[in-house]
Amino acid sequence: MRRGLLFALATSVALTAGPAAAKVEGDTVTLGAAISLTGKYSTNGKHTRNGYDLAVKKINAAGGVKVAGKSYKLKIVYYDDESRGARGAQLAERLINQDKVKFLLGPYSSGLTKAIAPITEKYKIPMVEANGASRSLFTKGYKYLFAVLSTSEQYLASSVALLAERAKAMGKKPSDMKIAMAFENDPFSQDIRAGIIDDAKKYGMKIVVDGKLPRDLSDMKGILQKVKLVKPDLLVISGHAKGAALAIRQIAALRLNVPMLAMTHCDSAKVIKKYGKKAEYTLCASQWAPTLTYKDDVFGSAGDFAKTFNKAYGYQPPYQAAESAAAVLVFADAFRRAGSFDTDKVRAALAATQMQTFYGNIKFDKTGKNIAKPMVLYQIQDGKYVVVAPTKWAAAKPRLPIPKWGKR
Amino acid sequence: MLENIQLLLDNPVALLNLLLDGIMIGAIFALIAYGMALVWGVMNIINLSQGEFVIFGGFIGYYTSTDWTLAIGPSASPWVSLEWGGISPLWALVIAPLILYGIGRAFYALVIFRLVDRDLFTSILATFGISIFLQQLMNGVFTAEDVIAQHGMGSWVLVDGTTGELVIEQVRVIALVFAVIVGAVLTFYLRQTRGGQAIRAVAQDARAARIMGINADQVYARTYALNAAICGAAGVLISMTLVIHAFSGLIYTVRAFMIVVIAGLGNVAGVIAAGLGLGAAEKVADIVIGTSYQTAFITGLLLVVLLWRSLRLGRQRKVLR
């Protein structure tokens, strides 16, 4: 008992007196991040980390961030949140209280960002996040949360606009169009669903199937069979990587013919590599594409970022990596403009951000979400992702309607 | 809900398609349930790591079918330098059972042998532990990605007309045939061979079997490993038809449990029937009450069956074994 007490005392002393990484040590600024290095989000967690690391490396190689006349190098302290919200919140406390980190980068996924945001808010620590798109994050009045990515209700909105365009081209009214939907029952996918419903209402389109997919989805044959019966003009699916992989597999197996198919997470599900021809014609929502024409002075163009990333990590950057790198750029820019590492000054600088990065334009509204960057819609054409909407960045015309299975 | 039923009744071809799809996937569930019934019947252990054995088999299916260098990436561990693109995952139907047999043997030697003759609660806890261990192990070794095994097989269009299409996936047919063959082989093995007789003898009365000179521990080890092997094969079929993830095993354990509860122990034909029935019922429920209730439907059905059985048993004054 006594020994136990002594041990506890010793550890608590060691913890408080331990070498806490201060926010600014000499010429280094430390950022903190709890991300999913293990657990179910570990794949995307790694993309996130690679994005952060690459941005830090590039900024440091270019001489660091100039703040009030002095150059500072960036450094990131990582912890593994094991893909669990409770753990993420704990680690955020640890980063702030023990490691004395004053600036946080976001975790991967909306759920984990939701777990961490109240903590950063409580301690008034600015967090720039790149992987929490759920719109419920921006309805809570958080003052210290900034997101570089487009929020989830915008993900597939452009597919509805595209459907309306197609209706007009065929000489039909947009209100004649029918939409079938299958969305996972999680906040992120349900936001996308809400976005689609809003847009469909605007055009007076009819929603003929409104399916919810369970979290532990194992088979989609049932709902796809129903879609086959009601013959919609557009089928929209969002169920993370699992939903995307399963949908492409089973749509082909069932030979389900839809004139338009739009979904999320095509690239994280690696549908092109896995399915080849079967994935052809699918429309995929993306935050970013290497073919976009945005530019900045750290990475150069979007295409340059893709090249640098590929060289460093040996694979094409998914948008999760791109937006993560952008989050670091936003911090660097805010430090520069704030001219100080005072959290309130940096927060004010973040709120006033107005910049272009290789990832897109960034300008935050009052709630902290980025309102300057639209989503893009890819289509898989000849085994490649090609941007087809919005028209401003379209590299090719969408190939629609999707030919019937017998003719593919 | 009513309009969904109407939709199905108006489209009999689609309904038939749905039922066939369900029956064929149900065959895989039946496979997993055989194994569970075997272990339960012989060793009185409810194996909750059933689903994880399945997913493990699925990953073996995935890795046989995938280009290794692509899957592992340029940062590959130095001990994997295979340069071949994948082969048909059908080969994994042979490889996976062999590997899983070994894993089953290992778990028996480490954990399961301590559970024989202990109460059910201990065995449930221990096998649940194994399932968590396997989940984390697979997550670490095989990554947290959702994977599918490519097989290059397509679908047959049987009916193609104004009344609708009847499309049958070739893989699902293979799954059905495979399940029936395994069922037949298993029945033959248990009834006709010395090894099978030994298993049945131990199941009936382990002490008497020991006195007769049967090495009961050996029989237990073989039974448990056999179950793991069957799950491995089922997992390969799952990875060829659906999608797998390191943490998605539980649902297969629940399904197997449900089938065994309906069919009873030591009834291979009943297990097949219940498996196919569950598969078909699930698919119809998918449309009638919605896909979001997929898991709720299975557990709900389990509850109904248990209630019904306990009522029936209560009337006949029997004991649920």
Coordinates of all heavy atoms in Angstrom, one line a residue, chain A residues 38-40 42-43 185 212-214 216-219 221-223 225-226 228-230 241-242 245-246 249-250 252-255 268 270 273-275 278 313-314, chain B residues 4 7 11 14 17-18 21 74 139 144-146 148-151 155 157 165 167 169 172 239-243 245 247-248 252 255 283 286-287 291-292 294-295:
Chain A
T38 N -4.2 3.6 -35.4 CA -4.7 2.3 -35.4 C -6.2 2.3 -35.3 O -6.8 3.4 -35.2 CB -4.2 1.5 -34.1 OG1 -4.6 2.2 -32.9 CG2 -2.7 1.4 -34.1
G39 N -6.9 1.2 -35.4 CA -8.3 1.1 -35.4 C -8.9 1.3 -36.7 O -8.2 1.3 -37.7
K40 N -10.3 1.5 -36.8 CA -10.9 1.4 -38.1 C -10.6 2.5 -39.0 O -10.8 2.4 -40.2 CB -12.4 1.2 -37.9 CG -13.1 2.4 -37.2 CD -14.6 2.1 -37.1 CE -15.2 3.2 -36.3 NZ -16.7 3.3 -36.3
S42 N -7.6 3.8 -39.4 CA -6.2 3.9 -39.5 C -5.7 4.2 -40.9 O -4.7 4.9 -41.1 CB -5.5 2.7 -39.0 OG -5.9 1.6 -39.7
T43 N -6.4 3.7 -41.9 CA -6.0 4.0 -43.3 C -6.0 5.5 -43.6 O -5.0 6.1 -44.0 CB -6.8 3.3 -44.3 OG1 -6.9 1.9 -43.9 CG2 -6.3 3.3 -45.7
N185 N -26.4 5.2 -41.9 CA -27.1 5.9 -40.8 C -26.1 6.6 -39.8 O -26.0 6.3 -38.7 CB -27.9 4.9 -40.0 CG -29.1 5.5 -39.5 OD1 -29.3 6.7 -39.5 ND2 -30.0 4.7 -39.0
K212 N -31.8 3.6 -45.7 CA -30.7 3.8 -44.7 C -29.9 2.5 -44.7 O -30.5 1.4 -44.6 CB -31.3 4.1 -43.4 CG -31.8 5.5 -43.2 CD -31.9 5.9 -41.8 CE -32.4 7.3 -41.6 NZ -33.7 7.4 -41.0
L213 N -28.6 2.7 -44.7 CA -27.7 1.5 -44.6 C -27.2 1.4 -43.1 O -26.8 2.4 -42.5 CB -26.6 1.7 -45.5 CG -26.9 1.9 -47.0 CD1 -25.6 2.2 -47.8 CD2 -27.7 0.8 -47.6
P214 N -27.2 0.2 -42.6 CA -26.7 0.1 -41.2 C -25.2 0.2 -41.2 O -24.5 0.0 -42.2 CB -27.2 -1.3 -40.8 CG -27.3 -2.1 -42.1 CD -27.7 -1.1 -43.1
D216 N -23.1 -1.7 -39.7 CA -22.4 -3.0 -40.0 C -23.0 -3.7 -41.2 O -23.3 -4.8 -41.2 CB -22.4 -3.9 -38.8 CG -23.8 -3.9 -38.1 OD1 -24.7 -3.3 -38.7 OD2 -23.9 -4.4 -37.0
L217 N -23.2 -2.9 -42.2 CA -23.7 -3.3 -43.5 C -23.0 -4.5 -44.0 O -21.7 -4.5 -44.1 CB -23.7 -2.2 -44.5 CG -24.0 -2.5 -45.9 CD1 -25.5 -2.6 -46.1 CD2 -23.5 -1.3 -46.8
S218 N -23.7 -5.6 -44.4 CA -22.9 -6.7 -45.0 C -23.4 -7.0 -46.4 O -22.7 -7.6 -47.2 CB -22.9 -7.9 -44.2 OG -24.3 -8.3 -44.0
D219 N -24.6 -6.6 -46.8 CA -25.1 -7.0 -48.1 C -26.1 -5.9 -48.6 O -26.9 -5.5 -47.8 CB -25.8 -8.4 -48.0 CG -26.0 -9.0 -49.4 OD1 -25.9 -8.3 -50.4 OD2 -26.4 -10.2 -49.4
K221 N -27.7 -6.2 -51.6 CA -28.6 -6.8 -52.7 C -30.0 -6.4 -52.6 O -30.7 -6.1 -53.5 CB -28.4 -8.3 -52.7 CG -27.3 -8.8 -53.6 CD -27.8 -8.8 -55.0 CE -26.8 -9.2 -56.0 NZ -26.5 -10.6 -56.2
G222 N -30.6 -6.4 -51.3 CA -32.0 -6.1 -51.1 C -32.3 -4.7 -51.7 O -33.2 -4.6 -52.5
I223 N -31.6 -3.7 -51.2 CA -32.0 -2.3 -51.6 C -31.7 -2.1 -53.0 O -32.5 -1.4 -53.7 CB -31.3 -1.3 -50.7 CG1 -31.9 0.1 -50.9 CG2 -29.8 -1.2 -50.9 CD1 -31.6 1.0 -49.7
Q225 N -32.0 -4.3 -55.4 CA -33.1 -5.0 -56.1 C -34.3 -4.1 -56.2 O -35.0 -3.9 -57.2 CB -33.4 -6.3 -55.4 CG -34.5 -7.2 -56.0 CD -33.9 -7.8 -57.3 OE1 -34.3 -7.4 -58.4 NE2 -33.0 -8.7 -57.2
K226 N -34.5 -3.3 -55.1 CA -35.7 -2.4 -55.0 C -35.4 -1.3 -56.0 O -36.4 -0.9 -56.7 CB -35.8 -1.9 -53.6 CG -37.1 -1.1 -53.4 CD -37.3 -0.7 -52.0 CE -38.4 0.3 -51.8 NZ -38.5 0.9 -50.5
K228 N -33.8 -1.4 -58.7 CA -34.0 -2.0 -60.0 C -35.4 -1.9 -60.4 O -35.8 -1.7 -61.5 CB -33.4 -3.4 -60.0 CG -33.2 -4.0 -61.4 CD -32.5 -5.3 -61.3 CE -32.3 -5.9 -62.6 NZ -31.6 -7.2 -62.6
L229 N -36.3 -2.2 -59.4 CA -37.7 -2.2 -59.7 C -38.3 -0.8 -60.0 O -39.1 -0.6 -60.8 CB -38.5 -2.8 -58.5 CG -38.3 -4.3 -58.4 CD1 -39.0 -4.8 -57.2 CD2 -38.7 -5.1 -59.6
V230 N -37.8 0.2 -59.2 CA -38.4 1.5 -59.4 C -37.8 2.4 -60.5 O -38.3 3.5 -60.8 CB -38.5 2.3 -58.0 CG1 -39.3 1.6 -57.0 CG2 -37.1 2.6 -57.5
A241 N -16.2 3.8 -47.2 CA -15.5 3.0 -48.2 C -16.2 1.7 -48.4 O -16.3 1.1 -49.5 CB -14.0 2.8 -47.7
K242 N -16.7 1.1 -47.3 CA -17.4 -0.1 -47.4 C -18.6 -0.1 -48.3 O -18.8 -0.9 -49.2 CB -17.8 -0.6 -46.0 CG -18.5 -1.9 -46.0 CD -19.2 -2.2 -44.6 CE -18.2 -2.9 -43.7 NZ -18.8 -3.2 -42.4
A245 N -17.5 0.2 -52.0 CA -17.0 -1.0 -52.5 C -18.1 -2.0 -52.8 O -18.2 -2.7 -53.9 CB -15.9 -1.6 -51.6
L246 N -19.0 -2.2 -51.8 CA -20.1 -3.1 -51.9 C -21.0 -2.7 -53.0 O -21.5 -3.6 -53.8 CB -20.8 -3.2 -50.6 CG -21.6 -4.4 -50.3 CD1 -20.8 -5.7 -50.4 CD2 -22.2 -4.3 -48.9
R249 N -19.6 -3.5 -56.5 CA -19.6 -5.0 -56.7 C -21.0 -5.5 -57.0 O -21.2 -6.2 -58.0 CB -19.0 -5.6 -55.5 CG -19.4 -7.1 -55.4 CD -18.6 -7.8 -54.4 NE -17.4 -8.5 -54.9 CZ -16.6 -9.2 -54.3 NH1 -16.7 -9.3 -53.0 NH2 -15.6 -9.8 -54.9
Q250 N -22.0 -5.0 -56.2 CA -23.3 -5.6 -56.3 C -24.1 -5.0 -57.5 O -25.0 -5.7 -58.0 CB -24.0 -5.6 -55.0 CG -23.2 -6.3 -53.9 CD -24.0 -6.7 -52.7 OE1 -24.9 -6.0 -52.3 NE2 -23.7 -7.9 -52.2
A252 N -22.9 -4.3 -60.3 CA -22.5 -5.1 -61.5 C -23.0 -6.5 -61.4 O -23.5 -7.0 -62.4 CB -20.9 -5.1 -61.5
A253 N -23.0 -7.1 -60.2 CA -23.5 -8.5 -60.1 C -25.0 -8.6 -60.4 O -25.4 -9.6 -61.0 CB -23.2 -9.0 -58.7
L254 N -25.7 -7.6 -60.0 CA -27.1 -7.6 -60.3 C -27.5 -7.0 -61.7 O -28.6 -7.1 -62.1 CB -27.8 -6.7 -59.2 CG -29.3 -6.8 -58.9 CD1 -29.6 -8.3 -58.5 CD2 -29.8 -5.9 -57.9
R255 N -26.5 -6.5 -62.4 CA -26.7 -5.9 -63.7 C -27.8 -4.8 -63.5 O -28.7 -4.7 -64.3 CB -27.0 -6.9 -64.7 CG -25.9 -7.9 -64.9 CD -26.3 -9.0 -65.8 NE -26.5 -8.6 -67.2 CZ -25.5 -8.6 -68.1 NH1 -24.3 -8.8 -67.7 NH2 -25.7 -8.2 -69.3
S268 N -11.2 6.4 -51.6 CA -10.7 5.6 -50.4 C -11.1 4.1 -50.5 O -10.5 3.3 -49.9 CB -11.2 6.2 -49.1 OG -12.5 6.6 -49.1
K270 N -10.9 2.7 -53.3 CA -10.0 2.2 -54.4 C -10.8 1.5 -55.5 O -10.4 0.4 -55.9 CB -8.9 1.3 -53.9 CG -8.0 2.0 -52.9 CD -6.6 1.3 -52.9 CE -5.8 1.9 -51.8 NZ -5.8 1.1 -50.5
K273 N -9.0 0.5 -58.9 CA -8.1 -0.6 -58.8 C -8.8 -1.9 -58.6 O -8.4 -2.9 -59.2 CB -7.1 -0.3 -57.7 CG -5.9 -1.1 -57.7 CD -5.0 -1.0 -56.5 CE -5.1 -2.3 -55.7 NZ -4.6 -2.1 -54.3
K274 N -9.8 -1.9 -57.8 CA -10.5 -3.1 -57.4 C -11.4 -3.6 -58.5 O -11.5 -4.8 -58.8 CB -11.3 -2.9 -56.2 CG -10.5 -3.0 -54.9 CD -11.4 -2.8 -53.7 CE -10.6 -2.6 -52.5 NZ -11.3 -2.0 -51.4
Y275 N -12.1 -2.7 -59.2 CA -13.2 -3.2 -60.1 C -12.9 -2.9 -61.5 O -13.6 -3.4 -62.4 CB -14.5 -2.6 -59.7 CG -14.9 -3.0 -58.3 CD1 -14.8 -2.1 -57.2 CD2 -15.4 -4.3 -58.1 CE1 -15.2 -2.5 -56.0 CE2 -15.8 -4.7 -56.8 CZ -15.7 -3.8 -55.8 OH -16.0 -4.2 -54.5
K278 N -15.9 -2.3 -64.2 CA -17.2 -2.3 -63.5 C -17.5 -0.9 -62.8 O -18.6 -0.5 -62.6 CB -17.3 -3.3 -62.4 CG -17.5 -4.7 -63.0 CD -17.5 -5.7 -61.8 CE -17.5 -7.1 -62.4 NZ -17.1 -8.1 -61.4
Y313 N 5.8 9.5 -50.6 CA 5.1 8.4 -50.0 C 4.8 7.2 -50.9 O 4.3 6.2 -50.5 CB 3.8 8.8 -49.3 CG 4.0 9.9 -48.2 CD1 3.7 11.2 -48.4 CD2 4.6 9.5 -47.0 CE1 4.0 12.2 -47.5 CE2 4.9 10.4 -46.1 CZ 4.6 11.8 -46.3 OH 4.8 12.7 -45.3
G314 N 5.0 7.4 -52.2 CA 4.8 6.3 -53.2 C 3.4 6.0 -53.5 O 3.1 4.9 -54.0
Chain B
N4 N -44.1 -1.6 -50.1 CA -43.0 -2.5 -50.4 C -43.4 -3.9 -50.7 O -42.9 -4.6 -51.6 CB -42.0 -2.5 -49.3 CG -41.2 -1.1 -49.2 OD1 -41.1 -0.4 -50.2 ND2 -40.8 -0.8 -48.0
L7 N -45.0 -4.0 -54.0 CA -43.9 -3.9 -55.1 C -43.4 -5.2 -55.4 O -43.2 -5.6 -56.5 CB -42.8 -2.9 -54.6 CG -41.8 -2.5 -55.6 CD1 -42.3 -1.6 -56.6 CD2 -40.6 -1.9 -54.9
N11 N -43.9 -7.8 -58.8 CA -42.7 -8.2 -59.6 C -42.2 -9.6 -59.2 O -41.2 -9.7 -58.5 CB -41.6 -7.2 -59.5 CG -42.0 -5.8 -60.0 OD1 -42.0 -5.6 -61.2 ND2 -42.5 -5.0 -59.1
A14 N -38.5 -10.5 -59.7 CA -37.5 -9.8 -58.8 C -37.6 -10.5 -57.4 O -36.6 -10.7 -56.8 CB -37.9 -8.3 -58.6
N17 N -35.6 -13.6 -57.7 CA -34.2 -13.2 -57.7 C -33.7 -13.0 -56.3 O -32.7 -13.5 -55.9 CB -34.1 -12.0 -58.6 CG -32.6 -11.9 -59.1 OD1 -32.4 -11.2 -60.1 ND2 -31.7 -12.5 -58.5
L18 N -34.5 -12.3 -55.6 CA -34.2 -11.9 -54.2 C -34.0 -13.1 -53.3 O -33.1 -13.3 -52.6 CB -35.3 -11.0 -53.6 CG -35.0 -10.0 -52.5 CD1 -33.9 -9.0 -53.0 CD2 -36.2 -9.3 -52.1
D21 N -31.0 -15.2 -54.3 CA -29.8 -14.5 -53.8 C -29.6 -14.8 -52.3 O -28.5 -15.1 -51.8 CB -29.9 -13.0 -53.9 CG -29.2 -12.5 -55.2 OD1 -28.3 -13.2 -55.6 OD2 -29.6 -11.4 -55.7
P74 N 5.1 0.1 -51.8 CA 6.6 0.2 -52.0 C 7.3 0.1 -50.6 O 8.4 -0.3 -50.5 CB 6.8 1.5 -52.7 CG 5.6 2.3 -52.5 CD 4.5 1.4 -52.3
N139 N -6.6 -6.3 -37.6 CA -6.5 -4.8 -37.9 C -5.1 -4.4 -38.0 O -4.7 -3.6 -38.9 CB -7.2 -4.1 -36.7 CG -7.3 -2.6 -37.0 OD1 -7.3 -2.2 -38.1 ND2 -7.4 -1.8 -35.9
A144 N -6.9 -1.7 -41.7 CA -8.3 -1.5 -41.4 C -9.2 -1.2 -42.6 O -10.2 -0.6 -42.6 CB -8.5 -0.3 -40.4
E145 N -8.7 -1.6 -43.8 CA -9.4 -1.3 -45.0 C -10.5 -2.3 -45.2 O -10.5 -3.5 -44.8 CB -8.5 -1.4 -46.2 CG -7.9 0.0 -46.5 CD -7.1 0.0 -47.7 OE1 -7.6 -0.1 -48.8 OE2 -5.8 0.1 -47.6
D146 N -11.6 -1.9 -45.9 CA -12.6 -2.8 -46.3 C -12.1 -3.5 -47.6 O -11.8 -2.8 -48.5 CB -13.9 -2.0 -46.7 CG -14.4 -1.3 -45.5 OD1 -15.1 -1.9 -44.7 OD2 -14.2 0.0 -45.4
I148 N -12.2 -6.7 -50.7 CA -13.0 -7.7 -51.4 C -12.0 -8.5 -52.1 O -10.9 -8.1 -52.5 CB -13.9 -7.0 -52.4 CG1 -13.1 -6.1 -53.3 CG2 -15.0 -6.2 -51.7 CD1 -13.5 -6.3 -54.7
A149 N -12.3 -9.8 -52.4 CA -11.5 -10.6 -53.2 C -12.0 -10.6 -54.6 O -13.1 -10.9 -54.9 CB -11.4 -12.1 -52.6
Q150 N -11.1 -10.3 -55.5 CA -11.5 -10.3 -56.9 C -11.5 -11.7 -57.5 O -10.6 -12.5 -57.2 CB -10.5 -9.4 -57.8 CG -10.8 -8.0 -57.6 CD -9.5 -7.2 -57.9 OE1 -8.5 -7.5 -57.3 NE2 -9.6 -6.2 -58.7
H151 N -12.5 -12.0 -58.3 CA -12.5 -13.4 -58.8 C -12.8 -13.4 -60.3 O -12.7 -14.5 -60.9 CB -13.6 -14.1 -58.0 CG -14.9 -13.4 -57.9 ND1 -15.7 -13.2 -59.0 CD2 -15.5 -12.8 -56.9 CE1 -16.8 -12.6 -58.6 NE2 -16.7 -12.3 -57.3
S155 N -22.1 -12.8 -63.8 CA -23.5 -13.3 -63.5 C -24.1 -13.9 -64.7 O -23.8 -13.6 -65.8 CB -24.3 -12.1 -63.0 OG -23.7 -11.4 -62.0
V157 N -27.6 -14.3 -66.7 CA -28.9 -13.7 -66.9 C -29.8 -14.8 -67.4 O -29.7 -15.3 -68.5 CB -28.9 -12.5 -67.9 CG1 -30.3 -11.9 -68.0 CG2 -27.9 -11.5 -67.6
E165 N -35.7 -9.1 -64.9 CA -34.5 -9.9 -65.1 C -34.3 -10.8 -64.0 O -34.5 -10.5 -62.8 CB -33.3 -9.0 -65.2 CG -33.0 -8.5 -66.6 CD -31.7 -7.7 -66.7 OE1 -31.3 -7.1 -65.7 OE2 -31.0 -7.8 -67.7
V167 N -31.1 -12.5 -62.5 CA -29.7 -12.5 -62.6 C -29.1 -13.3 -61.4 O -29.3 -13.0 -60.3 CB -29.1 -11.0 -62.6 CG1 -27.6 -11.0 -62.8 CG2 -29.8 -10.2 -63.6
E169 N -25.6 -14.6 -59.6 CA -24.2 -14.5 -59.5 C -23.5 -15.8 -59.4 O -23.9 -16.7 -58.6 CB -23.8 -13.8 -58.1 CG -23.5 -12.3 -58.3 CD -23.2 -11.7 -56.9 OE1 -24.2 -11.4 -56.2 OE2 -22.1 -11.7 -56.5
R172 N -22.2 -17.0 -56.0 CA -23.1 -17.4 -55.0 C -23.5 -18.8 -55.3 O -23.8 -19.6 -54.3 CB -24.4 -16.5 -55.0 CG -24.0 -15.1 -54.5 CD -25.2 -14.3 -54.0 NE -24.8 -12.9 -53.7 CZ -25.4 -12.1 -52.8 NH1 -26.4 -12.6 -52.2 NH2 -24.9 -10.9 -52.6
S239 N -15.6 -13.1 -48.7 CA -14.8 -12.0 -49.3 C -15.0 -12.0 -50.8 O -14.7 -11.0 -51.5 CB -13.3 -12.2 -49.0 OG -12.8 -13.3 -49.7
M240 N -15.5 -13.1 -51.4 CA -15.7 -13.1 -52.9 C -17.1 -12.6 -53.2 O -17.3 -12.1 -54.3 CB -15.6 -14.6 -53.4 CG -14.2 -15.1 -53.4 SD -14.1 -16.8 -53.8 CE -14.5 -16.8 -55.5
T241 N -18.1 -12.6 -52.3 CA -19.4 -12.1 -52.6 C -19.7 -10.8 -52.0 O -20.3 -9.9 -52.6 CB -20.5 -13.0 -52.0 OG1 -19.9 -13.9 -51.0 CG2 -21.2 -13.8 -53.0
L242 N -19.2 -10.5 -50.7 CA -19.6 -9.3 -50.0 C -18.3 -8.5 -49.8 O -17.4 -8.5 -50.7 CB -20.3 -9.6 -48.7 CG -21.5 -10.5 -48.8 CD1 -22.0 -10.9 -47.5 CD2 -22.6 -9.8 -49.6
V243 N -18.2 -7.9 -48.7 CA -17.0 -7.1 -48.4 C -16.6 -7.4 -46.9 O -17.5 -7.7 -46.1 CB -17.3 -5.6 -48.6 CG1 -18.5 -5.1 -47.9 CG2 -16.1 -4.7 -48.3
H245 N -14.1 -6.6 -43.3 CA -13.3 -5.6 -42.6 C -12.9 -6.3 -41.3 O -13.6 -7.2 -40.8 CB -14.3 -4.5 -42.3 CG -13.6 -3.3 -41.7 ND1 -13.4 -3.2 -40.3 CD2 -13.0 -2.2 -42.2 CE1 -12.8 -2.1 -40.0 NE2 -12.5 -1.5 -41.2
F247 N -13.2 -5.7 -38.3 CA -14.1 -5.7 -37.2 C -15.5 -6.2 -37.6 O -16.4 -6.0 -36.8 CB -14.2 -4.3 -36.7 CG -12.9 -3.8 -36.0 CD1 -12.1 -2.8 -36.6 CD2 -12.5 -4.4 -34.8 CE1 -10.9 -2.4 -36.0 CE2 -11.3 -3.9 -34.2 CZ -10.5 -3.0 -34.8
S248 N -15.7 -6.7 -38.8 CA -17.1 -7.0 -39.2 C -17.4 -8.5 -38.9 O -18.3 -9.0 -39.5 CB -17.3 -6.7 -40.6 OG -16.4 -7.4 -41.5
Y252 N -21.5 -12.4 -38.2 CA -21.5 -13.8 -38.7 C -21.6 -14.7 -37.5 O -22.3 -15.8 -37.6 CB -20.3 -14.1 -39.5 CG -20.3 -13.2 -40.8 CD1 -19.4 -12.1 -40.9 CD2 -21.2 -13.4 -41.8 CE1 -19.4 -11.3 -42.0 CE2 -21.2 -12.6 -42.9 CZ -20.4 -11.6 -43.0 OH -20.4 -10.8 -44.1
R255 N -25.3 -14.6 -36.6 CA -26.1 -15.4 -37.6 C -25.9 -16.9 -37.3 O -26.9 -17.7 -37.3 CB -25.7 -15.1 -39.0 CG -26.3 -13.8 -39.5 CD -25.8 -13.5 -40.9 NE -26.4 -12.3 -41.5 CZ -25.7 -11.3 -42.1 NH1 -24.5 -11.4 -42.2 NH2 -26.4 -10.3 -42.6
K283 N -33.2 -11.1 -46.9 CA -33.3 -10.3 -48.2 C -34.7 -9.7 -48.3 O -34.8 -8.6 -48.7 CB -32.9 -11.2 -49.4 CG -31.5 -11.5 -49.5 CD -30.7 -10.3 -50.0 CE -29.4 -10.3 -49.3 NZ -29.3 -10.4 -47.9
D286 N -35.0 -6.9 -46.0 CA -34.3 -5.8 -46.5 C -35.2 -4.8 -47.3 O -35.1 -3.6 -47.1 CB -33.2 -6.3 -47.5 CG -31.8 -6.1 -46.9 OD1 -31.8 -5.9 -45.7 OD2 -30.9 -6.3 -47.6
I287 N -36.1 -5.4 -48.1 CA -37.0 -4.6 -48.9 C -38.2 -4.2 -48.1 O -38.6 -3.0 -48.1 CB -37.4 -5.3 -50.2 CG1 -36.2 -5.3 -51.1 CG2 -38.6 -4.6 -50.8 CD1 -36.5 -5.6 -52.6
T291 N -33.3 -1.7 -45.2 CA -31.9 -2.3 -45.0 C -31.3 -1.8 -43.6 O -30.5 -2.5 -43.0 CB -31.0 -1.8 -46.1 OG1 -31.6 -2.0 -47.3 CG2 -29.6 -2.5 -46.1
S292 N -31.8 -0.7 -43.1 CA -31.2 -0.2 -41.9 C -31.5 -1.1 -40.7 O -30.9 -1.1 -39.7 CB -31.7 1.2 -41.6 OG -33.1 1.3 -41.6
Q294 N -31.3 -4.4 -40.9 CA -30.7 -5.7 -41.3 C -30.2 -6.4 -40.0 O -30.7 -7.6 -39.8 CB -29.4 -5.4 -42.1 CG -29.1 -6.5 -43.2 CD -28.1 -6.0 -44.1 OE1 -27.0 -5.6 -43.8 NE2 -28.3 -6.2 -45.4
T295 N -29.4 -5.8 -39.2 CA -29.0 -6.4 -38.0 C -30.1 -6.6 -36.9 O -30.2 -7.7 -36.3 CB -27.8 -5.6 -37.3 OG1 -27.0 -5.1 -38.4 CG2 -27.0 -6.4 -36.4

